[in-house]
Amino acid sequence: MAEEGAPGRRGERGDEVLAERGPGAAFHMFVLMEDLLDKLKLLSYEEEALRRHNMRPLSRHYFALPTNPGEQFFMFCTLAAWLISKAGRPFQQPQEYDDPNAVISSVLSELRSFGRPVDFPPSKLKTGCGEQVCYVLDCLAEEALKHTGFSWKRPAYPTEEPEEEEITEDDAELTLSKLEEDVVEEESDNEENYIDLNVLKAQTSRSNMNDNVKQEEILQSTTDAAEWNLEVERVLPQLKVTVRTDNKDWRIHVDQMHQHKDGIDSSLKETRGYLDKLHNDISRTLEKINSREKYINNQLEHLVQEYRSAQALLREAKEKYQEGSGGVTERIRVLSEVTEALEKVKQETEEKGSSMTDGAPLVKIKQALTKLRQETIQMDIQIGVMEHTLLQSKLKEKSNMTRDMHATVIPEATVGAY
């Protein structure tokens, strides 16, 4: 239970660390990976590192996302070794079957020798992806760039002079909205130039009087014809009204379909000849292949027959071999059973022979007899002692009885005791 709870606590601590670093901490490794890829391109890693090991170029998020741990770890070790050697330190190129712990420890020791802090466990690098892997490679790439003499400079932006935009209005196109605006302006001008009726009558009367005076004169225009034509050409485009077409109109689609059909027809005319020629070449080649195949079959027919007969003989031999191998397997099983029974009999015979030639049981019997004799002697002594004690008690009792029989007076205390 403690082991199950430990990863959960580590995950909670990781979430707390990400929360402390900010909401964008989870995406920091992607930014770091893109910076690393730019630095590797500056170091020409594709020509110097990848082509030597026949590897594909890295993607934008190769070390940021887990895809293939084994491949990513080998790529990490290869790039780390190359960057360390690029930074001027001798470092042996790791092989595919090297100990990963030893490779990681050597890479981290080189990173510490550059003065870079390492505040994470080495096991974070075994997966071959993650923020720690990007950090290690990024630090090594920076050291390699320093060793090659590369330095980052501020970008030099080109000074662009502001261009004066010339607004060219197409007088040949007049929209409806512009036409309406012109009409409104003309109406406003007409309203401003409004003349009273009385004034108009006075003017007409004076003009009639002048006309009566000049009735006999010939009317002749004083305007130049060339200027009149120029004015007409200048004003003529403004008198045209063009309506912009809508791309959703079905007529436009029909026109486009006809245009595409014409393009397809023209392209088909050009490619039909090539396709027919290709078809003829392929047909001739297939005919040649069929004729050669028939010729080869006819020439090798007797070899094919021999091959088939050899296959039949081989099949029969395999069947006989399988039958014989089945009998051999059965006999091997019987032999193993007989061998086991023989081993058991040998073991029993050896046990009985060892028990017959062994003198330990006789020694034990002798010791037991000696012990029985000693115990018998002790029992005899104890029996003698008991007989002597019993004889003494009997003699004492007999002496007491004779003494009581010869006594004439029995004491009162003795009578009371009885």
Side-chain angles (χ1 to χ4, degrees), residues 4 48 66 92 137 176-177 195 225 229 244 255 264 337 414:
E4 294 177 358
E48 298 183 10
Q92 187 177 4
L137 292 177
L176 294 175
S177 60
I195 301 173
N229 291 328
R244 292 182 180 178
D255 294 336
I264 291 170
E337 292 178 357
T414 306

Side-chain angles (χ1 to χ4, degrees), residues 154-217:
R154 292 184 176 274
Y157 299 102
T159 57
E160 297 181 357
E161 296 180 358
E163 298 180 357
E164 296 181 357
E165 298 181 357
E166 296 180 357
I167 302 173
T168 58
E169 294 182 357
D170 190 3
D171 295 333
E173 184 176 358
L174 183 64
T175 58
L176 294 175
S177 60
K178 186 175 181 181
L179 184 60
E180 292 176 356
E181 292 177 359
D182 294 339
V183 171
V184 171
E185 289 177 0
E186 290 178 358
E187 290 179 355
S188 62
D189 293 338
N190 292 331
E191 289 177 358
E192 291 176 358
N193 297 327
Y194 177 74
I195 301 173
D196 194 4
L197 291 176
N198 296 323
V199 177
L200 184 59
K201 288 178 179 180
Q203 290 179 356
T204 52
S205 62
R206 283 196 298 271
S207 64
N208 290 330
M209 290 174 65
N210 293 327
D211 291 337
N212 293 326
V213 174
K214 297 180 180 179
Q215 285 180 356
E216 296 178 356
E217 295 180 0

